[in-house]
Amino acid sequence: MAKVLLVEARFYDHLNDMLLAGARAAIEAAGHSHETITVPGALEVPGAIAMAAETGRYDAYVALGVVIRGETYHFEIVSNESARGVMALTIDGIPIGNGILTTENEAQAIVRADPKHLNKGGGAAEAALAMLALKDRLG
């Protein structure tokens, strides 16, 4: 049984609740356990995963959060840099599923976060477990 850490950037409570529900259901359906930690924003997610990975307490990680385009360039920075940080950790061999949504508006985020629709939280958890299985297979 694997232990998965969900790292959520809790900014939009109602959207994060849906992402977490989908991720938790996917992990539990696969027979694994999970813990959740919360960070201030999407930019902090990769750092939290890196710190947690150093402890050796977790087998895989799920990055969760929502970034909705606003009126400034900040959206691009947060979207691009959080994705870059998660990807860098993935390339280093840490099994991560990236469920940080980057959307134009709240309506798009709702459809993607909702476990009854696109279920991106569940998909991110499944991706993390798939990468863990691949890591184990490759030895």
Side-chain angles (χ1 to χ4, degrees):
M1 178 168 71
K3 187 163 191 177
V4 181
L5 181 64
L6 307 175
V7 180
E8 68 154 341
R10 182 162 280 273
F11 194 80
Y12 301 99
D13 289 342
H14 62 297
L15 299 171
N16 275 63
D17 288 345
M18 289 189 280
L19 287 171
L20 282 168
R24 288 173 175 154
I27 293 164
E28 291 166 6
H32 302 294
S33 66
H34 56 82
E35 284 184 31
T36 302
I37 61 170
T38 301
V39 297
L43 288 174
E44 290 76 33
V45 170
I49 292 172
M51 286 186 266
E54 288 179 5
T55 71
R57 292 173 29 199
Y58 306 97
D59 302 299
Y61 303 85
V62 181
L64 298 172
V66 179
V67 183
I68 298 174
R69 185 178 298 280
E71 296 177 5
T72 68
Y73 185 70
H74 187 68
F75 171 84
E76 282 81 5
I77 292 170
V78 174
S79 298
N80 293 337
E81 293 303 312
S82 63
R84 185 195 58 77
V86 169
M87 183 56 66
L89 294 170
T90 301
I91 291 170
D92 285 344
I94 298 173
I96 303 171
N98 189 350
I100 299 174
L101 305 181
T102 54
T103 65
E104 295 294 323
N105 54 56
E106 185 177 356
Q108 289 177 351
I110 290 169
V111 170
R112 285 157 180 76
D114 191 340
K116 295 175 185 161
H117 288 99
L118 294 181
N119 192 21
K120 295 297 184 177
E126 291 166 355
L129 294 173
M131 292 304 290
L132 176 60
L134 177 61
K135 183 177 182 177
D136 289 346
R137 186 174 136 226
L138 295 174

